[in-house]
Amino acid sequence: METKQILDTIQMISEEKLDIRTITMGISLFDCIDSDGEKARQKIYEKLTTSAKDLVKVADQIESEYGIPIVNKRISVTPISMIAAACHDDNYVAYAQTMEKAAETLGVDLIGGFSALVQKGYQSGDRKLIASMPEALSETKRVCGSVNVGSTRAGINMDAVRQMGRVVKDLSEIDPVSCMSLVVFANAVEDNPFMAGAFHGVGEADKVINVGISGPGVVKRALEQVKGESIDTVSETIKKTAFKVTRMGQFVGNVAAKALNVPFGIVDLSLAPTPSQGDSVAEILEEIGLESVGAPGTTAALALLNDAVKKGGVMACEHVGGLSGAFIPVSEDSGMIKAVEHGNLNLEKLEAMTAVCSVGLDMVAVPGDTTAETISGMIADEAAIGVINNKTTAVRVIPAKGKKVGEQIDFGGIFGYAPVMPVNTNSPAKFVTRGGRIPAPIHSFKN
Amino acid sequence: MKAVITVIGHDQIGIVATVSQRLAALKVNITDISQTLMHGDFTMMLMGEWDDNDVKFEVVKQGLLDLAKETGLSINIQRQELFDAIQKL
């Protein structure tokens, strides 16, 4: 019996908070399309509650038998803008309510796919879905929505960027906390198991199981053993740790897929933090040698971390997918919260970090009086980073209604709280209101 | 079914006997056993094997959870495949 390896594994789970962050079942809704909205929603409800009826049971059983916490059970569906486009409804809020009802029946935590892909233009369903978002997302608890406004192939749809600034602002006027259910993407991926951005892509199979792993605590603990050693050692240590963490994701995904009789899709190699102590990506960067996240050197340290996680994880699983990298959501990471509260991390540095991490400006609270145009400007900047660098970027920003810099907004549970961050108040309104499209970037002369 | 059982707590007389007696009652065969100190605590690891057509995993787990409550020890049981998946190529 290899006792050291057993103890090592148990310690990773019990002390370093290693867990499976999510098992997400992707379900195609193309066979639910109907020109009668009522009938379409009935078919959607039936397909979801039949396809995923054992999802929670199987996840709980894996948790019990293998002793690995599985934090979330989730569902992603085909973007509703495509499914609902065939019906004559003017408003898609009822689709969100159907998703909510199915999620509640199944006992899953979240359901994603109240989404639209408009990187090049709108079809009629996209227009209606986006217009329905503030009402749909504020009236439901478990439904998540996303809109893809740009891609490396298509460029950036500035009409959508302008509209999404408005949508985020309108949603925050109804309920700021609901803004955590809405993400604006560039280069959105089709197999992402993480929320709020998960949707089941059009190129995916009818049903699929995707797994998102976690493990910042495990990486930090491993780095504590190599204090003062060279960066090469840091990189190797992260790779080895990421390998183990990813193996667990691959294993759990396989077991779940087999038990549910659904193909196993991908493991998302993400370091996803939670607000609990010792489960923080910021603390890893500080362990690498920064006094605080936000210090000069932060972008380089994050780039190293992100790359090493991928290198270690790639060999550990059959198929890698999703967002795969280090997440830096402010409210979900105690180290990031601390850095913001102490004035060590500002939005501009955070934006630079998003150029080398897996997503973007995530769970960032801004003052309640931030204008829709300013939010559009932030979305445009993030989209540009993604489109030019051929990576996924996103904005999940929360205008904290009635609050100013220095105050905070609470999301509850694993979503934590976010200090309101100052935003540059110079207006991008004339730029944003021009509309049109930023052309796709050239793919040569890369400087 | 094969599972790794870990027992952690203050060392006490009869600790090995108590755990192995309960496993015998649950029809679990011990195929390997090892003990060490981890952060000053007595830590015992056992490899258990049983016929899961006869005894379900939940029954063994519940039996051990009951024992943990009676003795004040921390007892965990995890299916063995997990350890191979994480630690072996």
Side-chain angles (χ1 to χ4, degrees):
Chain A
M1 191 161 53
E2 303 189 41
T3 55
K4 193 186 167 301
Q5 295 184 346
I6 292 175
L7 284 176
D8 187 38
T9 308
I10 290 170
Q11 191 172 342
M12 279 161 67
I13 296 168
S14 65
E15 291 177 31
E16 295 156 15
K17 302 185 175 65
L18 176 61
D19 56 44
I20 296 292
R21 186 51 46 86
T22 179
I23 294 184
T24 304
M25 184 186 268
I27 302 172
S28 168
L29 297 183
F30 278 118
D31 48 6
C32 302
I33 290 175
D34 200 296
S35 56
D36 180 338
E38 199 58 53
K39 278 191 195 156
R41 290 189 288 275
Q42 186 58 35
K43 287 192 222 169
I44 290 172
Y45 181 80
E46 275 163 23
K47 179 151 191 194
L48 293 178
T49 48
T50 319
S51 307
K53 71 176 185 340
D54 292 328
L55 178 62
V56 172
K57 192 179 90 185
V58 164
D60 288 346
Q61 192 176 353
I62 292 172
E63 184 167 312
S64 169
E65 292 188 5
Y66 297 97
I68 308 165
I70 296 170
V71 182
N72 279 292
K73 281 73 74 176
R74 298 168 171 173
I75 290 174
S76 63
V77 299
T78 315
I80 292 294
S81 69
M82 297 177 187
I83 304 305
C87 78
H88 306 297
D89 300 8
D90 291 328
N91 172 312
Y92 293 166
V93 175
Y95 283 88
Q97 284 161 342
T98 302
M99 290 164 76
E100 175 87 0
K101 199 171 128 208
E104 208 179 316
T105 306
L106 293 164
V108 297
D109 305 281
L110 295 168
I111 180 164
F114 197 75
S115 305
L117 310 177
V118 295
Q119 60 269 28
K120 213 164 176 186
Y122 290 73
Q123 47 98 358
S124 66
D126 297 330
R127 220 171 281 284
K128 292 179 191 171
L129 180 122
I130 294 173
S132 309
M133 275 183 145
E135 192 184 345
L137 297 178
S138 61
E139 284 190 4
T140 52
K141 282 198 186 103
R142 304 175 199 230
V143 176
C144 292
S146 56
V147 175
N148 192 57
V149 298
S151 76
T152 300
R153 287 272 162 200
I156 303 171
N157 182 345
M158 288 301 288
D159 293 324
V161 167
R162 177 174 59 177
Q163 190 183 9
M164 288 316 297
R166 187 75 256 163
V167 168
V168 170
K169 183 74 181 168
D170 289 348
L171 181 56
S172 76
E173 292 291 333
I174 306 170
D175 174 21
V177 171
S178 294
C179 290
M180 73 179 185
S181 307
L182 172 60
V183 56
V184 185
F185 274 120
N187 288 326
V189 291
E190 300 200 325
D191 51 7
N192 166 22
F194 285 101
M195 296 293 175
F199 62 87
H200 187 69
V202 295
E204 296 282 317
D206 188 53
K207 289 190 269 293
V208 70
I209 287 290
N210 296 322
V211 168
I213 54 170
S214 174
V218 186
V219 174
K220 179 169 183 284
R221 183 68 70 98
L223 289 178
E224 284 170 7
Q225 313 302 317
V226 295
K227 278 189 197 300
E229 295 190 36
S230 84
I231 287 294
D232 309 69
T233 310
V234 170
S235 171
E236 281 302 303
T237 306
I238 298 169
K239 275 160 67 180
K240 285 178 190 158
T241 313
F243 178 85
K244 289 184 193 171
V245 171
T246 311
R247 289 290 277 192
M248 190 177 81
Q250 168 76 23
F251 174 74
V252 168
N254 264 330
V255 173
K258 202 170 155 202
L260 291 161
N261 198 23
V262 167
F264 180 27
I266 57 95
V267 178
D268 190 317
L269 307 177
S270 289
L271 285 183
T274 66
S276 52
Q277 213 67 37
D279 203 18
S280 154
V281 170
E283 284 175 15
I284 297 176
L285 301 176
E286 289 166 9
E287 186 58 44
I288 292 176
L290 304 167
E291 186 179 353
S292 165
V293 63
T298 299
T299 311
L302 181 59
L304 154 80
L305 169 67
N306 207 38
D307 185 57
V309 165
K310 288 178 198 171
K311 285 173 177 161
V314 159
M315 191 180 156
C317 64
E318 287 168 7
H319 298 284
V320 177
L323 301 167
S324 283
F327 287 174
I328 50 168
V330 173
S331 80
E332 296 168 17
D333 186 315
S334 58
M336 300 286 282
I337 294 174
K338 197 174 84 187
V340 171
E341 284 176 339
H342 292 183
N344 296 332
L345 177 63
N346 59 27
L347 261 181
E348 286 70 22
K349 187 65 182 175
L350 202 54
E351 183 182 311
M353 291 166 73
T354 66
V356 297
C357 81
S358 74
V359 198
L361 290 178
D362 194 15
M363 296 295 278
V364 173
V366 296
D369 59 3
T370 307
T371 64
E373 290 79 17
T374 297
I375 296 166
S376 293
M378 293 165 76
I379 293 170
D381 283 344
E382 272 304 311
I385 289 172
V387 166
I388 298 291
N389 294 307
N390 210 357
K391 72 185 287 293
T392 305
T393 46
V395 172
R396 184 161 54 148
V397 65
I398 294 105
K401 188 181 165 191
K403 297 197 171 172
K404 296 188 177 64
V405 174
E407 295 182 81
Q408 64 185 52
I409 176 165
D410 212 323
F411 303 104
I414 66 163
F415 301 106
Y417 72 95
V420 176
M421 296 176 79
V423 178
N424 187 320
T425 51
N426 290 293
S427 173
K430 285 183 187 163
F431 166 60
V432 168
T433 48
R434 280 174 184 267
R437 262 197 303 139
I438 295 180
I442 193 158
H443 293 287
S444 185
F445 313 112
K446 294 247 177 200
N447 268 326
Chain B
M1 166 109 46
K2 281 184 183 175
V4 172
I5 298 146
T6 16
V7 181
I8 303 173
H10 287 300
D11 202 1
Q12 51 191 270
I13 293 170
I15 190 168
V16 179
T18 312
V19 176
S20 50
Q21 261 170 20
R22 183 63 58 99
L23 286 172
L26 292 163
K27 298 188 184 171
V28 176
N29 183 33
I30 298 170
T31 58
D32 203 346
I33 182 165
S34 159
Q35 61 191 63
T36 180
L37 283 176
M38 188 170 70
H39 308 315
D41 276 332
F42 172 83
T43 305
M44 175 165 68
M45 277 164 278
L46 302 124
M47 184 74 79
E49 194 173 2
W50 71 92
D51 180 354
D52 55 342
N53 291 321
D54 195 13
V55 185
K56 293 280 164 228
F57 182 91
E58 297 76 46
V59 174
V60 176
K61 184 169 178 169
Q62 194 52 52
L64 290 171
L65 287 179
D66 292 344
L67 179 65
K69 221 179 255 174
E70 291 160 27
T71 56
L73 295 163
S74 159
I75 306 181
N76 276 303
I77 176 165
Q78 289 160 284
R79 286 177 65 170
Q80 181 255 340
E81 299 97 307
L82 169 76
F83 299 94
D84 288 346
I86 293 182
Q87 303 285 358
K88 287 184 183 162
L89 262 182

